[in-house]
Amino acid sequence: GSNVAYKIYGKYIYFINGNSFFSNPRSLWKVDLDTGKKVWESQEIQGMIAGITRIDNTTFVFGNNDGYNILCFDDNDGELKAMVLFDEDDEIALDMNVWMGNPLEYNDSLIWGAGFGLCKLDVIMIDFNKPVDEIQIVKPECLFEVPEYTGIAATPVIDGDVVYFMRHAYMDELGE
């Protein structure tokens, strides 16, 4: 799927330093757009990066390798706060990850399109008091499940309390 490995919030840009698909090592950078100076750089990130978003004091990096779906970084210093996996079953966790497009922030929730459907995760479900190296299983709510061989094909759009999204069929039946 396609992704955008940067996001702008106010006077800051967050981006992956390195190719978001294949390059290692990679890290998340926060840069002040007024001064051009790096505010912080995260630890090395493994696996493919599928999106970046931020709520309050936490920056969320969606990925789909190395046993996590989301890495949560402190927005003040770039330190890792938590690692989240969507399901104990790796295939289900992968199917619930950002497929095409980018995750959005909505109040205290993250919303994104996945192969599984339209997903939502309330960030209050993440326990930032647990040890950082303890992967937390936090299952997203499926707002709309799509039929097999389809997925949410673009970044959803939120207008008021309505979420708009586009479904994409990549095969009508197995083998097509």
Side-chain angles (χ1 to χ4, degrees), residues 1-9 13-21 26-29 40 42 45-55 58-65 68-73 80 82 84 86 94 96-105 110-114 121 154-156:
S2 64
N3 71 0
V4 178
Y6 75 90
K7 195 83 177 232
I8 296 174
Y9 289 97
I13 185 169
Y14 299 78
F15 65 91
I16 299 301
N17 181 24
N19 183 299
S20 62
F21 287 103
R26 287 169 297 172
S27 57
L28 176 67
W29 285 29
W40 52 255
S42 74
I45 299 172
Q46 299 293 326
M48 189 180 89
I49 306 303
I52 302 167
T53 194
R54 188 187 84 193
I55 294 179
T58 305
T59 302
F60 301 90
V61 175
F62 283 71
N64 61 8
N65 290 323
Y68 72 88
N69 292 106
I70 301 176
L71 296 175
C72 308
F73 295 98
L80 185 64
V84 174
F86 296 148
L94 180 61
M96 292 183 121
N97 205 358
V98 173
W99 187 45
M100 296 176 141
N102 290 292
L104 299 174
E105 58 282 347
L110 302 168
I111 296 177
W112 67 93
L121 181 80
T155 302

Side-chain angles (χ1 to χ4, degrees), residues 108-121:
D108 287 332
S109 298
L110 302 168
I111 296 177
W112 67 93
F116 190 78
L118 186 67
C119 296
K120 174 186 170 194
L121 181 80

Side-chain angles (χ1 to χ4, degrees), residues 120-136:
K120 174 186 170 194
L121 181 80
D122 292 325
V123 297
I124 59 170
M125 301 298 293
I126 301 169
D127 185 349
F128 294 112
N129 294 315
K130 285 190 175 184
V132 171
D133 58 353
E134 183 179 323
I135 294 176
Q136 299 180 45

